[in-house]
Amino acid sequence: VDASDPGPDFRTQLTAGSVRFSYIGTGAPEMELFQSGDLAISGNYISAGTTLTVPDYVFADDYDLRPLSEVRAFIDTNSHLPEVPSAAMIAENGLDMTDMQMTLLKKVEELTLYTLAQEEKLAMQEENLAEMRALVEALRQN
């Protein structure tokens, strides 16, 4: 141990029902772990050193986007989205926040693809409707 080292620049404080971790000098708790198991942090949580599979693969041409009819059937049967754990599963097994964030990102990206597909269908229907209106108008003039 280096005698010139002043020690850590944070302090730990035990309080009734929690443990506080504060930087010396600020006095404000930077992190607090409560007896209930809750964890409060000030600032951002940054997960460093993890290997993530970010679901950008859903945008690949060969990605098999599940038809919405299958999604509906799954929801009707299971009362939750495919690949998303149910409330009962989370209660039993806990929740890996990193996995859940990536799952939610995947669902947002899939939702974007569904929305874009619906937009394309609407544009085609509007185009077809315009053509039909033009035909009706042409028939009226004859």
Side-chain angles (χ1 to χ4, degrees):
V1 176
D2 183 358
S4 65
D5 183 4
D9 58 352
F10 66 92
R11 69 181 179 141
T12 305
Q13 178 184 10
L14 297 174
T15 63
S18 72
V19 178
R20 290 183 184 171
F21 301 91
S22 306
Y23 282 104
I24 294 173
T26 66
E30 300 296 328
M31 182 171 62
E32 190 166 3
L33 178 60
F34 295 90
Q35 191 173 16
S36 65
D38 291 344
L39 175 66
I41 62 169
S42 58
N44 297 323
Y45 172 78
I46 300 169
S47 178
T50 60
T51 304
L52 298 176
T53 302
V54 179
D56 290 345
Y57 54 84
V58 305
F59 298 121
D61 290 336
D62 63 345
Y63 181 70
D64 190 21
L65 186 63
R66 187 184 310 237
L68 283 172
S69 59
E70 286 182 21
V71 175
R72 166 54 77 193
F74 186 93
I75 292 169
D76 289 346
T77 301
N78 300 286
S79 299
H80 64 92
L81 285 172
E83 301 174 75
V84 176
S86 68
M89 293 166 77
I90 292 171
E92 183 177 329
N93 303 317
L95 179 65
D96 180 319
M97 291 301 293
T98 302
D99 284 347
M100 181 56 88
Q101 287 295 100
M102 291 302 100
T103 299
L104 292 175
L105 179 57
K106 179 180 179 182
K107 294 304 168 188
V108 167
E109 291 180 349
E110 288 177 341
L111 182 58
T112 301
L113 292 174
Y114 288 126
T115 302
L116 292 171
Q118 292 296 321
E119 185 176 59
E120 286 177 19
K121 286 181 184 178
L122 276 173
M124 287 175 41
Q125 288 175 350
E126 288 173 3
E127 201 174 289
N128 289 342
L129 184 58
E131 288 175 11
M132 290 171 66
R133 284 183 177 151
L135 287 173
V136 167
E137 187 60 33
L139 288 172
R140 283 185 184 161
Q141 291 178 2
N142 287 336

